[in-house]
Protein backbone atom coordinates (compact mmCIF):
# COMPACT_ATOMS: atom_id res chain seq x y z
CA UNK A 1 0.00 0.00 0.00
CA UNK A 2 1.24 3.47 -0.94
CA UNK A 3 2.03 5.86 1.97
CA UNK A 4 -0.68 8.31 0.90
CA UNK A 5 -3.23 5.45 0.79
CA UNK A 6 -2.47 4.59 4.43
CA UNK A 7 -2.90 8.21 5.53
CA UNK A 8 -6.03 8.69 3.40
CA UNK A 9 -7.61 5.59 4.96
CA UNK A 10 -6.69 6.84 8.45
CA UNK A 11 -8.15 10.33 7.85
CA UNK A 12 -11.31 8.90 6.27
CA UNK A 13 -11.82 6.59 9.27
CA UNK A 14 -11.19 9.53 11.61
CA UNK A 15 -13.68 11.70 9.72
CA UNK A 16 -16.43 9.10 10.05
CA UNK A 17 -15.48 8.56 13.72
CA UNK A 18 -14.55 4.95 13.03
CA UNK A 19 -11.92 5.08 15.75
CA UNK A 20 -11.30 1.32 15.80
CA UNK A 21 -10.37 1.38 12.11
CA UNK A 22 -8.21 4.48 12.59
CA UNK A 23 -6.44 2.81 15.52
CA UNK A 24 -5.88 -0.29 13.41
CA UNK A 25 -3.94 1.81 10.90
CA UNK A 26 -1.23 2.83 13.39
CA UNK A 27 1.59 0.75 14.83
CA UNK A 28 1.35 -0.71 18.34
CA UNK A 29 3.94 1.82 19.49
CA UNK A 30 2.51 4.77 17.51
CA UNK A 31 3.95 8.11 18.69
CA UNK A 32 1.75 11.19 18.52
CA UNK A 33 4.27 14.00 18.98
CA UNK A 34 1.47 16.53 19.55
CA UNK A 35 -0.37 14.74 22.36
CA UNK A 36 0.11 12.70 25.49
CA UNK A 37 -2.18 10.06 23.93
CA UNK A 38 0.02 7.32 22.46
CA UNK A 39 -0.35 3.97 20.70
CA UNK A 40 -3.57 2.55 19.32
CA UNK A 41 -5.45 3.32 22.54
CA UNK A 42 -4.20 6.89 22.24
CA UNK A 43 -5.89 7.26 18.85
CA UNK A 44 -9.19 6.17 20.40
CA UNK A 45 -8.66 8.42 23.44
CA UNK A 46 -7.86 11.41 21.22
CA UNK A 47 -10.94 10.74 19.09
CA UNK A 48 -13.20 10.57 22.13
CA UNK A 49 -11.77 13.88 23.33
CA UNK A 50 -12.45 15.69 20.01
CA UNK A 51 -15.74 14.03 19.13
CA UNK A 52 -17.05 14.48 22.68
CA UNK A 53 -16.96 18.23 22.07
CA UNK A 54 -17.70 18.17 18.34
CA UNK A 55 -19.80 15.04 17.71
CA UNK A 56 -20.85 15.95 14.16
CA UNK A 57 -17.32 16.84 12.98
CA UNK A 58 -16.48 16.03 9.39
CA UNK A 59 -12.96 16.26 8.01
CA UNK A 60 -12.12 16.84 4.37
CA UNK A 61 -8.69 16.19 2.94
CA UNK A 62 -7.50 19.23 1.05
CA UNK A 63 -3.96 18.06 0.18
CA UNK A 64 -1.78 14.97 0.62
CA UNK A 65 1.89 15.33 -0.22
CA UNK A 66 4.32 12.42 0.14
CA UNK A 67 8.10 12.34 0.33
CA UNK A 68 9.65 8.99 1.19
CA UNK A 69 8.07 7.65 4.37
CA UNK A 70 6.45 11.00 5.28
CA UNK A 71 3.03 12.27 4.24
CA UNK A 72 1.82 15.81 4.85
CA UNK A 73 -1.93 16.30 5.06
CA UNK A 74 -3.82 19.58 4.99
CA UNK A 75 -7.33 19.10 6.28
CA UNK A 76 -10.41 21.22 6.90
CA UNK A 77 -13.06 20.27 9.45
CA UNK A 78 -16.53 21.61 10.14
CA UNK A 79 -18.42 20.83 13.32
CA UNK A 80 -20.85 22.05 15.95
CA UNK A 81 -19.56 22.76 19.45
CA UNK A 82 -21.92 20.55 21.46
CA UNK A 83 -19.72 19.48 24.39
CA UNK A 84 -17.17 21.02 26.75
CA UNK A 85 -13.83 21.72 25.06
CA UNK A 86 -10.74 22.81 27.00
CA UNK A 87 -12.89 24.36 29.71
CA UNK A 88 -15.36 26.06 27.38
CA UNK A 89 -18.90 24.73 27.79
CA UNK A 90 -21.02 23.85 24.76
CA UNK A 91 -22.04 26.88 22.71
CA UNK A 92 -23.90 25.26 19.84
CA UNK A 93 -21.77 27.31 17.45
CA UNK A 94 -20.72 25.95 14.07
CA UNK A 95 -16.94 25.99 13.76
CA UNK A 96 -14.26 25.34 11.18
CA UNK A 97 -10.77 24.02 11.84
CA UNK A 98 -7.80 23.88 9.51
CA UNK A 99 -4.93 21.57 10.34
CA UNK A 100 -1.58 20.46 8.98
CA UNK A 101 -0.36 16.97 9.92
CA UNK A 102 2.81 15.09 9.14
CA UNK A 103 2.67 11.31 9.28
CA UNK A 104 5.59 8.87 9.18
CA UNK A 105 4.53 5.59 7.62
CA UNK A 106 6.12 2.17 8.23
CA UNK A 107 4.84 -0.43 5.80
CA UNK A 108 1.05 -0.32 5.94
CA UNK A 109 0.83 1.57 9.23
CA UNK A 110 1.38 5.04 10.62
CA UNK A 111 4.23 5.02 13.14
CA UNK A 112 4.43 8.68 14.11
CA UNK A 113 2.59 11.96 13.66
CA UNK A 114 2.91 15.69 14.26
CA UNK A 115 -0.20 17.90 14.20
CA UNK A 116 -0.61 21.66 13.91
CA UNK A 117 -4.30 22.54 14.29
CA UNK A 118 -5.44 26.16 14.31
CA UNK A 119 -6.46 25.99 17.98
CA UNK A 120 -6.40 29.77 18.39
CA UNK A 121 -8.95 30.10 15.59
CA UNK A 122 -11.07 27.31 17.03
CA UNK A 123 -11.02 28.76 20.56
CA UNK A 124 -11.95 32.18 19.13
CA UNK A 125 -14.92 30.66 17.28
CA UNK A 126 -16.30 29.08 20.47
CA UNK A 127 -15.94 32.36 22.37
CA UNK A 128 -13.10 31.38 24.68
CA UNK A 129 -11.66 34.91 24.51
CA UNK A 130 -14.88 36.94 24.61
CA UNK A 131 -14.60 37.71 28.30
CA UNK A 132 -10.85 37.33 28.76
CA UNK A 133 -9.48 39.92 31.13
CA UNK A 134 -12.95 41.15 32.15
CA UNK A 135 -13.64 41.27 35.89
Amino acid sequence: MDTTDVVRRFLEAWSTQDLDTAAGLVTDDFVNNSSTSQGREGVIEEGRFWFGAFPDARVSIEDLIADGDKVVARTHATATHLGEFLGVPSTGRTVELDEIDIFRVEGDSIAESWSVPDLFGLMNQIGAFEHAGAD
Side-chain angles (χ1 to χ4, degrees):
M1 184 180 317
D2 170 295
T3 56
T4 56
D5 290 338
V6 173
V7 171
R8 182 180 309 281
R9 287 180 55 214
F10 176 84
L11 291 172
E12 288 171 351
W14 183 267
S15 179
T16 60
Q17 300 182 35
D18 184 354
L19 300 178
D20 289 330
T21 296
L25 290 166
V26 303
T27 60
D28 289 333
D29 58 349
F30 168 70
V31 175
N32 181 340
N33 290 287
S34 305
S35 173
T36 57
S37 302
Q38 303 298 314
R40 289 184 173 144
E41 281 304 311
V43 171
I44 293 170
E45 181 180 302
E46 194 81 10
R48 288 181 181 150
F49 168 76
W50 282 98
F51 296 125
F54 305 99
D56 65 345
R58 287 293 177 256
V59 179
S60 62
I61 301 168
E62 303 297 318
D63 288 302
L64 283 179
I65 303 164
D67 185 16
D69 64 350
K70 300 255 178 42
V71 178
V72 177
R74 182 174 65 89
T75 59
H76 179 79
T78 57
T80 310
H81 180 216
L82 297 175
E84 185 270 332
F85 183 73
L86 297 177
V88 179
S90 170
T91 62
R93 294 180 181 177
T94 300
V95 298
E96 297 185 20
L97 175 67
D98 291 309
E99 185 167 337
I100 303 287
D101 298 288
I102 302 171
F103 299 93
R104 185 175 62 79
V105 177
E106 286 180 2
D108 290 343
S109 299
I110 298 170
E112 197 170 7
S113 71
W114 298 261
S115 300
V116 185
D118 178 13
L119 282 180
F120 181 83
L122 177 62
M123 296 301 283
N124 192 46
Q125 290 174 73
I126 62 174
F129 310 121
E130 289 176 4
H131 304 289
D135 290 329

PDB file of all heavy atoms in Angstrom, residues 23-36:
ATOM      1  N   ALA A  23      -7.441   3.381  14.624  1.00  0.00           N
ATOM      2  CA  ALA A  23      -6.441   2.808  15.522  1.00  0.00           C
ATOM      3  C   ALA A  23      -5.751   1.605  14.900  1.00  0.00           C
ATOM      4  O   ALA A  23      -4.566   1.367  15.144  1.00  0.00           O
ATOM      5  CB  ALA A  23      -7.079   2.427  16.855  1.00  0.00           C
ATOM      6  N   GLY A  24      -6.460   0.865  14.081  1.00  0.00           N
ATOM      7  CA  GLY A  24      -5.884  -0.289  13.409  1.00  0.00           C
ATOM      8  C   GLY A  24      -4.894   0.082  12.322  1.00  0.00           C
ATOM      9  O   GLY A  24      -4.160  -0.780  11.827  1.00  0.00           O
ATOM     10  N   LEU A  25      -4.852   1.348  11.954  1.00  0.00           N
ATOM     11  CA  LEU A  25      -3.942   1.809  10.902  1.00  0.00           C
ATOM     12  C   LEU A  25      -2.659   2.420  11.453  1.00  0.00           C
ATOM     13  O   LEU A  25      -1.849   2.944  10.706  1.00  0.00           O
ATOM     14  CB  LEU A  25      -4.660   2.806   9.986  1.00  0.00           C
ATOM     15  CG  LEU A  25      -5.746   2.177   9.113  1.00  0.00           C
ATOM     16  CD1 LEU A  25      -6.632   3.250   8.499  1.00  0.00           C
ATOM     17  CD2 LEU A  25      -5.114   1.316   8.028  1.00  0.00           C
ATOM     18  N   VAL A  26      -2.479   2.362  12.780  1.00  0.00           N
ATOM     19  CA  VAL A  26      -1.234   2.831  13.389  1.00  0.00           C
ATOM     20  C   VAL A  26      -0.508   1.643  14.004  1.00  0.00           C
ATOM     21  O   VAL A  26      -1.108   0.608  14.295  1.00  0.00           O
ATOM     22  CB  VAL A  26      -1.478   3.937  14.453  1.00  0.00           C
ATOM     23  CG1 VAL A  26      -2.224   5.119  13.849  1.00  0.00           C
ATOM     24  CG2 VAL A  26      -2.198   3.407  15.676  1.00  0.00           C
ATOM     25  N   THR A  27       0.790   1.809  14.213  1.00  0.00           N
ATOM     26  CA  THR A  27       1.588   0.749  14.827  1.00  0.00           C
ATOM     27  C   THR A  27       1.238   0.633  16.312  1.00  0.00           C
ATOM     28  O   THR A  27       0.679   1.568  16.903  1.00  0.00           O
ATOM     29  CB  THR A  27       3.097   1.046  14.689  1.00  0.00           C
ATOM     30  OG1 THR A  27       3.381   2.294  15.334  1.00  0.00           O
ATOM     31  CG2 THR A  27       3.522   1.105  13.219  1.00  0.00           C
ATOM     32  N   ASP A  28       1.586  -0.510  16.905  1.00  0.00           N
ATOM     33  CA  ASP A  28       1.352  -0.714  18.342  1.00  0.00           C
ATOM     34  C   ASP A  28       2.006   0.379  19.176  1.00  0.00           C
ATOM     35  O   ASP A  28       1.450   0.821  20.176  1.00  0.00           O
ATOM     36  CB  ASP A  28       1.908  -2.065  18.808  1.00  0.00           C
ATOM     37  CG  ASP A  28       1.104  -3.240  18.294  1.00  0.00           C
ATOM     38  OD1 ASP A  28      -0.110  -3.075  18.035  1.00  0.00           O
ATOM     39  OD2 ASP A  28       1.685  -4.332  18.158  1.00  0.00           O
ATOM     40  N   ASP A  29       3.185   0.818  18.743  1.00  0.00           N
ATOM     41  CA  ASP A  29       3.935   1.820  19.494  1.00  0.00           C
ATOM     42  C   ASP A  29       3.863   3.206  18.836  1.00  0.00           C
ATOM     43  O   ASP A  29       4.775   4.020  18.949  1.00  0.00           O
ATOM     44  CB  ASP A  29       5.384   1.389  19.679  1.00  0.00           C
ATOM     45  CG  ASP A  29       6.103   1.142  18.350  1.00  0.00           C
ATOM     46  OD1 ASP A  29       5.433   1.100  17.293  1.00  0.00           O
ATOM     47  OD2 ASP A  29       7.334   1.002  18.372  1.00  0.00           O
ATOM     48  N   PHE A  30       2.752   3.489  18.179  1.00  0.00           N
ATOM     49  CA  PHE A  30       2.510   4.770  17.514  1.00  0.00           C
ATOM     50  C   PHE A  30       2.834   5.935  18.451  1.00  0.00           C
ATOM     51  O   PHE A  30       2.440   5.946  19.612  1.00  0.00           O
ATOM     52  CB  PHE A  30       1.045   4.845  17.075  1.00  0.00           C
ATOM     53  CG  PHE A  30       0.591   6.210  16.631  1.00  0.00           C
ATOM     54  CD1 PHE A  30       1.044   6.763  15.447  1.00  0.00           C
ATOM     55  CD2 PHE A  30      -0.304   6.938  17.404  1.00  0.00           C
ATOM     56  CE1 PHE A  30       0.616   8.014  15.032  1.00  0.00           C
ATOM     57  CE2 PHE A  30      -0.740   8.189  17.005  1.00  0.00           C
ATOM     58  CZ  PHE A  30      -0.283   8.728  15.814  1.00  0.00           C
ATOM     59  N   VAL A  31       3.582   6.921  17.924  1.00  0.00           N
ATOM     60  CA  VAL A  31       3.953   8.108  18.690  1.00  0.00           C
ATOM     61  C   VAL A  31       3.249   9.322  18.093  1.00  0.00           C
ATOM     62  O   VAL A  31       3.468   9.668  16.938  1.00  0.00           O
ATOM     63  CB  VAL A  31       5.489   8.329  18.671  1.00  0.00           C
ATOM     64  CG1 VAL A  31       5.854   9.635  19.372  1.00  0.00           C
ATOM     65  CG2 VAL A  31       6.206   7.143  19.293  1.00  0.00           C
ATOM     66  N   ASN A  32       2.389   9.940  18.900  1.00  0.00           N
ATOM     67  CA  ASN A  32       1.754  11.190  18.525  1.00  0.00           C
ATOM     68  C   ASN A  32       2.558  12.293  19.201  1.00  0.00           C
ATOM     69  O   ASN A  32       2.445  12.499  20.405  1.00  0.00           O
ATOM     70  CB  ASN A  32       0.292  11.198  18.986  1.00  0.00           C
ATOM     71  CG  ASN A  32      -0.424  12.469  18.601  1.00  0.00           C
ATOM     72  OD1 ASN A  32       0.193  13.488  18.326  1.00  0.00           O
ATOM     73  ND2 ASN A  32      -1.743  12.417  18.591  1.00  0.00           N
ATOM     74  N   ASN A  33       3.380  12.981  18.436  1.00  0.00           N
ATOM     75  CA  ASN A  33       4.273  13.999  18.984  1.00  0.00           C
ATOM     76  C   ASN A  33       3.548  15.266  19.425  1.00  0.00           C
ATOM     77  O   ASN A  33       4.174  16.169  19.981  1.00  0.00           O
ATOM     78  CB  ASN A  33       5.360  14.351  17.964  1.00  0.00           C
ATOM     79  CG  ASN A  33       6.334  13.216  17.789  1.00  0.00           C
ATOM     80  OD1 ASN A  33       7.145  12.957  18.666  1.00  0.00           O
ATOM     81  ND2 ASN A  33       6.250  12.516  16.678  1.00  0.00           N
ATOM     82  N   SER A  34       2.244  15.341  19.201  1.00  0.00           N
ATOM     83  CA  SER A  34       1.468  16.529  19.549  1.00  0.00           C
ATOM     84  C   SER A  34       0.467  16.262  20.662  1.00  0.00           C
ATOM     85  O   SER A  34      -0.436  17.058  20.891  1.00  0.00           O
ATOM     86  CB  SER A  34       0.736  17.036  18.306  1.00  0.00           C
ATOM     87  OG  SER A  34       1.658  17.259  17.265  1.00  0.00           O
ATOM     88  N   SER A  35       0.599  15.126  21.331  1.00  0.00           N
ATOM     89  CA  SER A  35      -0.369  14.742  22.357  1.00  0.00           C
ATOM     90  C   SER A  35       0.277  13.809  23.369  1.00  0.00           C
ATOM     91  O   SER A  35       1.293  13.180  23.083  1.00  0.00           O
ATOM     92  CB  SER A  35      -1.554  14.025  21.684  1.00  0.00           C
ATOM     93  OG  SER A  35      -2.443  13.501  22.642  1.00  0.00           O
ATOM     94  N   THR A  36      -0.338  13.698  24.515  1.00  0.00           N
ATOM     95  CA  THR A  36       0.108  12.702  25.491  1.00  0.00           C
ATOM     96  C   THR A  36      -0.527  11.351  25.195  1.00  0.00           C
ATOM     97  O   THR A  36      -0.121  10.343  25.758  1.00  0.00           O
ATOM     98  CB  THR A  36      -0.259  13.130  26.931  1.00  0.00           C
ATOM     99  OG1 THR A  36      -1.668  13.337  27.007  1.00  0.00           O
ATOM    100  CG2 THR A  36       0.478  14.416  27.309  1.00  0.00           C
TER     101      THR A  36
END
